[in-house]
Amino acid sequence: MRIPPFALERFQSIHEHQVEINLTESGVEPLDVGELLGAEGTDLLLDQPLAYTQSNGTPELRAAIAATLPGVTDAEVLVANGGAEANFVTCWRLIEPGDEVVVMQPNYGQAHGLAEGFGAIVRPWPLREERSGPAPRWAPDLDELRALVTDRTKLIAVCNPNNPTGTRLTEAEVAGVCEIADRHGVWVLSDEIYRGSERDGVETPSAWRRTERVVVTGGLSKAYGLPGLRIGWAIAARDVAADLWCRRDYTTIAPSALSDRLARHALAPPRRTALLERTRRMIAANFPIVGAWLGAHAGKLAWVPPEAGAIGFVRYAHDIGSTALADRLRQTEGVLVVPGDHFSLDGWLRIGYGGRAASLREGLARLDRVLAELPLAAAPSPAGS
Ligand SMILES: Cc1ncc(COP(=O)(O)O)c(C=O)c1O
């Protein structure tokens, strides 16, 4: 099996700890252990045996994860090492050579790369920048999805809220995706790792239980600000969750005992609410910084204001490819952003704005310096057109 390189992840891991200002993070500034433990302090950790834990996650942690969606039982939850492992075992379980896999586009590249690696044919389902409605958004086209799904389709992979655009599907759109899948006996993988980080506080509608064949993945890395815990999950019907667990015995066996313990602490109800509020507060505080910066460059830079997550997908009108622009910014100014090329959309940059305000301001000012040296190619034009 040949697997395509995961360009986004590799680019970040090579450069993010080398640059002065990292604007590639898609989550907010992470908590440290002391901040997460709060008044209870480190005592909570001292008697935690550094043993193997139950390999699909402790019953307490699975119950806490189950409580994040209505009607989930803990037997339907598999704890994984990050959302990444949850997505991996799901794709491994569902995708076989020759299958067709419909993948929302743009998207975090994992499902796309794995589908290719497992020998499937990928059919991109594009979101398009739409400016005609009351508020601009990255809109899906369900008719287009209907046309893409055939009897050869095995899986539809969506990311909701979406990375990199921060767009959120509506209730009707989520229902529509699941109805189309159901009609063809197709699986839905709904990566909902950004759910809970909505700017307006209205939680993204989940795909959970809208069809029998659905796996919802999530984790603590984005909406909860705890990526270093490496705790993610897959939620699926009991027999499927059992299959995923079986696969996981071959990958990493169990989550780290310390992480399982800290994750239980994070998801205890009042703390869970407080963590999500912290994330939304940080996003709300920094959003106007990017908004004002874009306002000062009208006609040259534009975005569809993201609804969730700490990421903005910014279109530029300058005459340079996105990888070359990101490289130049990194080499000359020590600032890291993700090139749109990593989402198969050149002419765009993904800017993470969930970090410290001062770094964000400085990073954008340095990006200004680089852009000022570049000629304009054209006025920014809508994506997907
Ligand atoms: C949509 C999406 N899913 C999964 C992941 C991986 O999450 P984790 O760090 O929990 O493995 C990411 C990370 O950026 C992501 O954007």
Side-chain angles (χ1 to χ4, degrees):
M1 167 181 150
R2 283 176 66 84
I3 199 102
F6 195 162
L8 166 67
E9 285 298 340
R10 181 52 61 92
F11 175 81
Q12 283 187 255
S13 53
I14 290 175
H15 299 299
E16 67 189 344
H17 298 293
Q18 315 298 331
V19 291
E20 246 179 281
I21 299 178
N22 177 21
L23 300 182
T24 62
E25 272 309 321
S26 56
V28 293
E29 187 74 17
L31 287 93
D32 60 30
V33 178
E35 208 177 344
L36 174 58
L37 290 175
E40 290 191 42
T42 46
D43 282 359
L44 183 93
L45 294 177
L46 296 182
D47 64 351
Q48 171 64 49
L50 294 176
Y52 287 111
T53 53
Q54 184 163 327
S55 61
N56 59 340
T58 55
E60 296 85 346
L61 179 54
R62 281 183 294 114
I65 293 166
T68 65
L69 280 173
V72 183
T73 63
D74 50 357
E76 292 172 313
V77 176
L78 172 81
V79 181
N81 280 286
E85 191 184 29
N87 286 333
F88 178 82
V89 289
T90 304
C91 290
W92 188 20
R93 158 71 175 75
L94 294 178
I95 302 171
E96 289 166 296
D99 286 343
E100 290 190 8
V101 174
V102 174
V103 180
M104 180 186 262
Q105 170 71 32
N107 206 332
Y108 182 61
Q110 193 185 7
H112 191 132
L114 286 175
E116 283 184 2
F118 291 135
I121 298 151
V122 175
R123 307 266 181 234
W125 176 43
L127 297 173
R128 290 205 173 78
E129 207 190 10
E130 198 177 81
R131 294 188 171 270
S132 53
R137 71 185 292 249
W138 284 84
D141 182 338
L142 289 176
D143 287 335
E144 208 167 338
L145 181 62
R146 264 180 216 106
L148 283 169
V149 173
T150 70
D151 292 342
R152 290 182 301 279
T153 310
K154 184 67 162 296
L155 171 71
I156 301 171
V158 300
C159 180
N160 186 33
N162 177 256
N163 175 6
T165 63
T167 238
R168 161 179 64 174
L169 298 185
T170 64
E171 180 82 31
E173 288 162 351
V174 175
V177 170
C178 293
E179 189 203 300
I180 294 166
D182 210 31
R183 196 170 316 137
H184 291 268
V186 166
W187 284 87
V188 175
L189 166 55
S190 185
D191 184 336
E192 300 178 3
I193 200 164
Y194 293 93
R195 210 165 66 88
S197 65
E198 298 81 3
R199 282 198 299 120
D200 61 6
V202 178
E203 259 190 10
T204 304
S206 174
W208 174 240
R209 270 235 236 270
R210 289 179 200 258
T211 156
E212 268 173 54
R213 294 176 210 82
V214 62
V215 181
V216 170
T217 55
L220 295 181
S221 302
K222 311 296 176 185
Y224 297 88
L226 297 166
L229 284 188
R230 307 306 303 128
I231 291 287
W233 53 78
I235 301 179
R238 200 185 171 101
D239 56 332
V240 181
D243 279 0
L244 299 180
W245 183 9
C246 168
R247 304 234 163 199
R248 207 166 151 270
D249 291 338
Y250 285 97
T251 54
T252 60
I253 306 178
S256 122
L258 283 181
S259 289
D260 189 297
R261 183 71 196 88
L262 287 167
R264 276 181 267 153
H265 183 76
L267 287 175
R271 213 162 294 109
R272 170 173 187 254
T273 308
L275 288 176
L276 294 177
E277 279 170 7
R278 170 188 182 271
T279 298
R280 289 199 286 262
R281 221 175 26 248
M282 293 172 101
I283 289 175
N286 283 357
F287 180 85
I289 298 176
V290 187
W293 175 72
L294 291 170
H297 296 282
K300 296 182 189 167
L301 300 173
W303 72 355
V304 170
E307 293 169 90
I311 36 183
F313 203 42
V314 173
R315 181 158 45 92
Y316 61 85
H318 304 74
D319 191 14
I320 186 169
S322 63
T323 298
L325 176 53
D327 283 347
R328 189 186 289 202
L329 179 65
R330 175 173 55 80
Q331 285 157 358
T332 61
E333 298 284 354
V335 178
L336 196 66
V337 296
V338 181
D341 281 337
H342 289 181
F343 304 99
S344 306
L345 275 180
D346 197 12
W348 301 73
L349 298 175
R350 192 190 74 180
I351 297 181
Y353 67 91
R356 294 178 202 283
S359 296
L360 175 63
R361 281 202 184 88
E362 178 60 23
L364 295 177
R366 293 185 192 189
L367 176 52
D368 273 349
R369 287 207 288 263
V370 171
L371 291 174
E373 291 167 1
L374 297 167
L376 291 183
S381 60
S385 57

